[in-house]
Structures are given as structure tokens and as C-alpha cells.
Amino acid sequence: MLHMQDNTEFLSNFTSQLPTFLLTGIPGLESAHSWISIPFCCLYATALSGNSMILFIIVTQHSLHEPMYYFLSMLSATDLGLTFSTMSTTLRILWFQANEISLDFCIVQMFFLHGFTFIESGVLVAMAFDRYVAICNPLRYTMILTNSRIIQMGFLVIMRALLLIVPLLLLLKPVSFCKRNTLSHSYCYHPDVIKLACSDTRANSICGLVDLILTTGIDTPCIVLSYILIIRSVLSIASSEERHKTFSTCVSHIGAVAVFYIPMFSLSLVHRYGRSAPKVVHTMMANVYLLLPPVLNPIIYSVKTKQIRKAILSLLFAK
């Protein structure tokens, strides 16, 4: 009898160490998931085709082999990674109601999801630096942003993401989960997973805060500072027409920054202060946060960047 009790206790501890999480589709609309999957499929198709097209034209068009477009290709590659990291679980829930996910698969998904988010934040800073140099120091633009320096910047952005995400996820392995493991989203999101832990998660919270400070806490002020210097430089131009022409080169990047940071801050506020908000609000905010940048970035750059627009039109309507 005692032996059986020990076995049961061991099994209980083992299952709490290796839990299965339940992902959430659209709360209250489970019966309509197959219909809801249609707009989701359209959005995923738009993100995948748009970013793939931008990558393709930058690689194949020699006229676009310039620093600004190299950074844009990094942004498109990151958006593709971000799209793939959530697409499998979201569509699996909407199509097959398959919402179970193991801790190990959850950690793998968070590695790519948070990793690409950190990379995108870093790429946006690099793009802000590119616009600063182009406007404030145009004569030294090609000397400062050489191909080797652009590669170094890309490497640093990736290394920073890896150094921040790996400790955050390794700290999840010893955590015990003993509550009803239902997540708020259709994918694994670190703050959402941590809320379900029943062991001490102070180290996880501290590591998460450090990651937030070393990404958003540094990147946002850097982008703001770049634009303060850019605006100061633009205002010193005598001709209003030249001022407009110079600043218009930044519009696409400002749009990309807005569609990345506004949903991110909104989701953080909903997680922190919106606990009384309906579950559907949490779910929709989470989907907007990760789908909006990959869908809108190719559209913003296609509409607002003349060279990209011309290259896309020539590709689509080539005889």
C-alpha cells in the first residue's frame, strides 16, 4: 500500500514537472473556429508572400544592394520567422481543435517567438541608425555603413537575442506547474506561462525584466534619440520642399516602428492591468501583436518606398 502511494506521488510530481498546456483559440467562439480560420489564413498568406517578395527583389535587383535595403531584408526575414513561429499552433487550434502542447514544444516555440521579437527590435534600431546617418551625415554614409559593418550589426542583433532568450528559457525547466494549465493565447508566451507556475519564479521574473530592459528599454530610447537628431537636422534645411523630401525617406521606418511597438505595449498593459477584461480581448490583442508587423511592414514599404514599389510592379507585370 505504501509502495503504491510512493509510486502515485512520484507520478504526480513527474507530471507536474512535465505538464501539458492547453492553448486558447477564440474564447466563446469555438464553434466558429473553422470560419475564423479564413481571415487568419489570408493574413498569414499576406505576411508570407509580402515578406518573401521583398526578400526576393532585394536579392535579385542590384539597384537595391544598398544599406537601407539590406536592413529591410533583415526585417522581412525576421517577420517571416515570426509568422512561422505562431502559424502552426494557431491554425492547428482553428482547424482541428488541437490545443494541447507539451512544455518542451512550448519552450521551442518561445525560443523562436521571443527570439525573433528581440531581433526585430534590434533591426528597427539599426534602421533608425541608417536613417540618422543618411540624413545627418550623408557624405560619409557609404564610409560608415559598409557591407562588413552591416554584417557585424546583424550578427550583434542575433547574438543579443540568443544571449537574452537562452537563460530565460533554461530557467523554465525546473519550474513546477500544478494549476489548470490553460494559456491565454494560441501560442506560448513567457509571461503567460509563468503565471501558471506553483513554484518560486522570482528568478524567471527578474530574468524577464532584465531582458525587457536590455531590449525595449534600450532600443526605444535609441530610436527616439535618432529621430530627435533627424528632426533637428531636417529643420535646419532652408527649403520646405527639401525638408519634406528628406523626411519622407523616414516615413516607412516610422510606420514599421509604430506597428511593432504599439501592439507590444498594448499587450503588456492588458497582461498587467486588464485581468478583469474579457478573455477574447487578451486573445485578439495577442494575435494582433504578432500578426500586425509581418502583414503591414511589406505593405508600408511597398506603398511608401518608390524603389521597392517600382521593383514589385516590374516583377508582377513583367512581360
Side-chain angles (χ1 to χ4, degrees):
M1 189 77 176
L2 187 64
H3 182 66
M4 269 184 71
Q5 193 177 348
D6 287 345
N7 282 346
T8 309
E9 196 174 325
F10 170 76
L11 192 62
S12 172
N13 289 336
F14 184 74
T15 52
S16 72
Q17 288 295 326
L18 297 171
T20 298
F21 296 101
L22 295 176
L23 299 169
T24 303
I26 310 295
L29 296 170
E30 286 82 3
S31 59
H33 273 180
S34 54
W35 290 105
I36 293 166
S37 71
I38 296 169
F40 271 89
C41 286
C42 292
L43 289 170
Y44 281 125
T46 303
L48 294 174
S49 57
N51 287 294
S52 298
M53 188 179 287
I54 283 182
L55 270 176
F56 178 76
I57 61 169
I58 290 171
V59 169
T60 55
Q61 300 277 335
H62 289 286
S63 60
L64 299 178
H65 290 183
E66 294 176 12
M68 176 184 171
Y69 303 110
Y70 289 144
F71 288 124
L72 177 56
S73 67
M74 290 182 201
L75 186 69
S76 292
T78 306
D79 280 339
L80 281 172
L82 206 53
T83 304
F84 279 119
S85 67
T86 60
M87 189 171 71
S88 60
T89 52
T90 303
L91 293 182
R92 196 180 69 183
I93 292 166
L94 295 176
W95 285 343
F96 310 112
Q97 306 294 322
N99 59 350
E100 287 193 4
I101 186 170
S102 67
L103 177 62
D104 287 339
F105 193 83
C106 206
I107 287 172
V108 170
Q109 187 176 45
M110 283 190 286
F111 173 80
F112 288 106
L113 192 154
H114 291 292
F116 282 121
T117 305
F118 293 163
I119 290 169
E120 181 141 348
S121 185
V123 170
L124 289 171
V125 174
M127 294 174 92
F129 179 69
D130 166 75
R131 291 300 82 211
Y132 162 73
V133 176
I135 291 168
C136 301
N137 207 345
L139 298 177
R140 297 189 64 220
Y141 181 68
T142 51
M143 290 168 60
I144 294 170
L145 288 170
T146 58
N147 287 351
S148 62
R149 193 156 289 162
I150 291 164
I151 291 166
Q152 286 169 5
M153 288 168 77
F155 180 74
L156 283 172
V157 166
I158 293 167
M159 284 308 298
R160 181 187 72 164
L162 288 172
L163 289 171
L164 293 176
I165 196 67
V166 170
L168 186 71
L169 298 181
L170 286 176
L171 284 169
L172 268 179
K173 287 298 283 181
V175 172
S176 296
F177 297 92
C178 50
K179 292 180 183 177
R180 188 165 173 268
N181 297 330
T182 303
L183 298 168
S184 308
H185 313 312
S186 58
Y187 53 83
C188 292
Y189 181 61
H190 187 264
D192 200 22
V193 173
I194 282 297
K195 279 196 286 188
L196 300 175
C198 62
S199 58
D200 185 19
T201 58
R202 277 177 295 182
N204 304 75
S205 300
I206 291 165
C207 191
L209 181 63
V210 169
D211 282 10
L212 189 67
I213 291 165
L214 293 177
T215 51
T216 311
I218 290 174
D219 296 350
T220 309
C222 285
I223 291 169
V224 170
L225 178 62
S226 296
Y227 275 100
I228 290 168
L229 297 171
I230 286 167
I231 290 165
R232 195 176 71 174
S233 179
V234 168
L235 291 175
S236 67
I237 300 169
S239 165
S240 61
E241 192 180 329
E242 279 297 311
R243 278 202 298 268
H244 179 266
K245 188 181 174 183
T246 304
F247 196 71
S248 66
T249 62
C250 300
V251 171
S252 300
H253 179 252
I254 292 168
V257 169
V259 299
F260 179 74
Y261 282 109
I262 291 172
M264 180 197 278
F265 288 132
S266 303
L267 182 63
S268 299
L269 289 171
V270 165
H271 261 280
R272 192 165 291 276
Y273 303 111
R275 288 176 186 176
S276 59
K279 281 187 178 181
V280 72
V281 173
H282 286 256
T283 307
M284 292 313 294
M285 282 300 304
N287 287 316
V288 165
Y289 158 57
L290 288 179
L291 263 176
L292 208 63
V295 169
L296 290 185
N297 282 340
I299 296 169
I300 291 167
Y301 275 92
S302 302
V303 171
K304 289 292 179 184
T305 309
K306 187 181 174 183
Q307 291 89 334
I308 294 288
R309 187 169 66 249
K310 280 174 68 178
I312 288 173
L313 290 172
S314 67
L315 179 69
L316 292 176
F317 302 107
K319 291 182 182 178

